[in-house]
Amino acid sequence: MPGPRRGDGPGGGRRGGRRTAGGHGPGGEGGRGRRKGLAIAGGSLAFVLVGGSLAAYLYYDHLNGNIKTTDTLGAGRNGFQKDQPINILIIGTDKRTGDGNAGYGDPDSPGHADTTFLFHVSKDRTNATALSIPRDLITDIPTCPTKQPDGSTKNIPAQRGVRFNTSLGQEGRDPGCTMRTVQELTGIPVDHFLMADFNAVKTLSKAVGGVPVCLDKAVNDRDSKLNLTAGEHRLDGEQALAFVRTRHSFGNESDLDRIKTQQQFLSSMIREMKSQDTLTSPKKVFALAEAATKALSVDKGMGSISQLTSLAGELKGINPKNITFTTLPVLDNPAERVKVTVVLNPSQSDPLLQMIREDVSLTAVEQKEKAAAAEAKSKQDALLQGNRAPAADVRVAVSNGGGPQGSASTTLAWLQNSKGVEKSSNLGNAPAKLDHTTLEYAPNQADQARALADMMGLPASALKAGSADAPPKTPMKLTLGADFKGAGISLTAPQQAPEGVQRVEADKAVCAK
């Protein structure tokens, strides 16, 4: 796992390997702590909405005027489908906005994507996964079209091998650029974004009547000004802000450990919002609605109370025990002597992202939901029961409908040279893009389909049976979708998170260490 990283530099607010001793201004460690801590406001605000407790009150027409919108020029899918998962990007920016924040952050900075969650809600609305994306992750930022004040569109060039947090604010990038970056990074389509200003932690924690936290040890942090005894406390306002921006008193003092603390805080806030004490108090719920909409910035597809109410309605039934926070698995950047940035850890990130893409829950759900899932899996497994044809008898034509460039030819070579499927051919690019790889076959080709599914690691959901038998020597049609990562890489999602993946479950109180 990555250890503590030092210093800030261009794009991340870091300065090489140097640390300003005792600094509390915009350039010192205290200034960085304020920026980072305040950035979590975006996450806090958005989870007010996903908690669902505001649904009844978001109908107030006057709240519409509080909401700020951004035209992301098609970066999201712009809607919720009842029979599909929902993916909301929650962004906390370190841009200095909001009343009382004149002393926080760099007054000249356009902000960064400093606190970012990809909130995935399951297709059946029973569970959710909140995936934190580290700000110091080295990644690629795609070309991004942005709407200018005069109404024109500016294409901001792509950048390769830069910090993730530069996907917002820097070079004129808007939240749509962060949405595009996350989609390219994870392979998960993003529907909408929610972004908040610096005041959200302070105002929302007050509105809910304080957020319970637990400390494993006493803390007196000179940078964040958090001074608390060990044990349980209820924090709001500036104290809540100090808690989420504290870095040097928890864990190994890294940003990754601060993410864990922030996840614990948000889990506790969700529990407070779901509590009867909050739900039965019109004063508290209305205060939350006011605080949330005043701090909220969204894409145009979500820029109204009716749309936010619709989202809250989709999410209100999720029990906190079925909400899991996790962090995209990373490793220290091997290219650096002084560890400042991180890179993906493919052995853990690949299966974790595949689980989210395939809508596999990271947490236990109700027993009846488990039974339903088991029944559905049993039906799918039945498709794969039966005889397998010898590799030499398998006929298949391969086309690329969304996989990496050249996937059809590399898959063909792999099938012929490594698997003995000599009766295979390349159809080149498919006529349309597909999200998921599919294998079309006739009933009299079922034994061939099962054999190919075993070789390719295809889930039963990828197999599409026709209604009529195929003439002799007719090949099956394998179309590689956007989920295809390479020949020999299984497309069957794991049913549990990889060992060692960090998790925080929203229904459990965890003491910060």
Side-chain angles (χ1 to χ4, degrees):
M1 291 295 292
R5 300 183 304 286
R6 299 172 49 205
D8 282 308
R14 294 189 176 267
R15 307 176 184 273
R18 297 176 54 207
R19 181 177 295 167
T20 304
H24 302 298
E29 183 62 30
R32 293 196 297 274
R34 292 185 185 97
R35 294 194 298 272
K36 178 63 179 179
L38 289 169
I40 191 63
S44 301
L45 164 65
F47 281 104
V48 169
L49 295 176
V50 299
S53 61
L54 300 183
Y57 289 88
L58 286 174
Y59 287 105
Y60 283 91
D61 289 341
H62 75 275
L63 295 180
N64 271 310
N66 292 341
I67 303 170
K68 298 176 287 292
T69 63
T70 298
D71 186 349
T72 57
L73 298 176
R77 294 194 294 191
N78 199 32
F80 308 127
Q81 297 182 20
K82 295 292 184 181
D83 60 346
Q84 294 297 322
I86 299 174
N87 298 305
I88 305 292
L89 191 65
I90 300 165
I91 306 171
T93 174
D94 60 359
K95 183 177 181 180
R96 188 188 66 179
T97 55
D99 295 338
N101 294 315
Y104 297 134
D106 181 350
D108 299 320
S109 173
H112 302 80
D114 255 21
T115 299
T116 305
F117 295 91
L118 180 59
F119 194 78
H120 171 85
V121 182
S122 67
K123 176 180 177 179
D124 61 8
R125 309 297 189 254
T126 63
N127 61 86
T129 299
L131 177 71
S132 293
I133 302 176
R135 66 173 189 175
D136 294 325
L137 173 68
I138 295 299
T139 189
D140 297 336
I141 301 176
T143 301
C144 180
T146 59
K147 181 64 70 69
Q148 301 302 298
D150 63 1
S152 63
T153 297
K154 176 184 177 182
N155 284 314
I156 301 174
Q159 283 189 294
R160 305 298 175 191
V162 295
R163 274 188 176 93
F164 170 80
N165 69 348
T166 61
S167 65
L168 177 70
Q170 309 307 299
E171 310 296 332
R173 296 188 179 97
D174 65 11
C177 302
T178 307
M179 294 172 73
R180 288 181 168 87
T181 301
V182 169
Q183 184 158 320
E184 185 171 285
L185 173 67
T186 65
I188 299 169
V190 180
D191 298 299
H192 297 280
F193 84 85
L194 301 175
M195 185 171 68
D197 67 18
F198 288 171
N199 278 335
V201 165
K202 293 185 287 186
T203 59
L204 293 174
S205 59
K206 285 183 178 179
V208 81
V211 176
V213 301
C214 174
L215 278 72
D216 190 61
K217 60 183 179 182
V219 170
N220 187 2
D221 192 282
R222 68 177 186 177
D223 295 324
S224 70
K225 308 304 181 186
L226 184 68
N227 187 355
L228 295 173
T229 59
E232 297 181 357
H233 301 270
R234 183 174 286 269
L235 307 182
D236 63 16
E238 295 292 345
Q239 271 199 320
L241 187 58
F243 181 82
V244 298
R245 68 181 173 91
T246 295
R247 171 177 172 179
H248 295 298
S249 296
F250 297 137
N252 65 5
E253 304 186 17
S254 72
D255 289 330
L256 297 177
D257 274 312
R258 180 155 49 185
I259 287 174
K260 295 177 186 177
T261 305
Q262 293 166 349
Q263 292 173 347
Q264 293 163 12
F265 180 87
L266 292 174
S267 295
S268 184
M269 181 173 280
I270 289 175
R271 294 194 297 273
E272 283 300 297
M273 292 186 299
K274 287 283 190 178
S275 71
Q276 287 301 308
D277 185 52
T278 297
L279 294 174
T280 57
S281 169
K283 181 179 179 181
K284 283 187 178 181
V285 176
F286 190 78
L288 281 168
E290 286 286 351
T293 53
K294 284 181 179 178
L296 182 64
S297 178
V298 300
D299 58 278
K300 279 197 169 182
M302 288 248 291
S304 69
I305 296 302
S306 62
Q307 288 297 322
L308 293 174
T309 301
S310 176
L311 173 61
E314 292 288 321
L315 310 179
K316 66 182 179 181
I318 302 177
N319 192 307
K321 72 178 182 180
N322 294 331
I323 300 175
T324 303
F325 289 84
T326 188
T327 303
L328 189 63
V330 294
L331 300 166
D332 283 328
N333 189 346
E336 296 175 337
R337 183 179 60 84
V338 177
K339 301 307 179 185
V340 175
T341 61
V342 293
V343 296
L344 283 180
N345 177 1
S347 65
Q348 292 185 336
S349 63
D350 285 353
L352 176 62
L353 292 173
Q354 188 176 9
M355 288 181 70
I356 297 174
R357 286 192 294 267
E358 296 298 320
D359 203 26
V360 178
S361 174
L362 269 67
T363 188
V365 295
E366 298 290 345
Q367 190 63 39
K368 64 179 182 180
E369 294 159 0
K370 287 184 178 181
E375 181 181 356
K377 186 175 187 301
S378 176
K379 289 179 179 178
Q380 286 193 338
D381 289 345
L383 292 175
L384 298 179
Q385 299 302 314
N387 297 327
R388 268 72 170 160
D393 293 342
V394 173
R395 294 179 182 271
V396 62
V398 184
S399 63
N400 187 4
Q405 185 175 0
S407 290
S409 59
T410 56
T411 300
L412 181 66
W414 179 77
L415 286 172
Q416 293 179 343
N417 299 328
S418 299
K419 295 298 179 179
V421 183
E422 297 180 358
K423 297 173 183 177
S424 51
S425 58
N426 183 356
L427 295 179
N429 291 327
K433 299 291 186 181
L434 298 179
D435 290 334
H436 301 286
T437 297
T438 61
L439 175 61
E440 300 174 70
Y441 66 99
N444 61 336
Q445 296 172 322
D447 57 343
Q448 297 182 48
R450 296 186 194 105
L452 190 64
D454 289 347
M455 298 177 203
M456 299 282 298
L458 299 179
S461 58
L463 274 59
K464 310 297 181 184
S467 57
D469 285 348
K473 299 185 179 181
T474 300
M476 300 180 293
K477 293 182 180 180
L478 175 66
T479 306
L480 307 175
D483 59 345
F484 182 78
K485 302 305 177 185
I489 300 177
S490 175
L491 294 177
T492 302
Q495 296 303 302
Q496 61 183 21
E499 185 176 353
V501 169
Q502 176 264 332
R503 294 169 58 185
V504 173
E505 295 180 354
D507 67 320
K508 295 180 173 62
V510 181
C511 289
K513 298 182 179 180

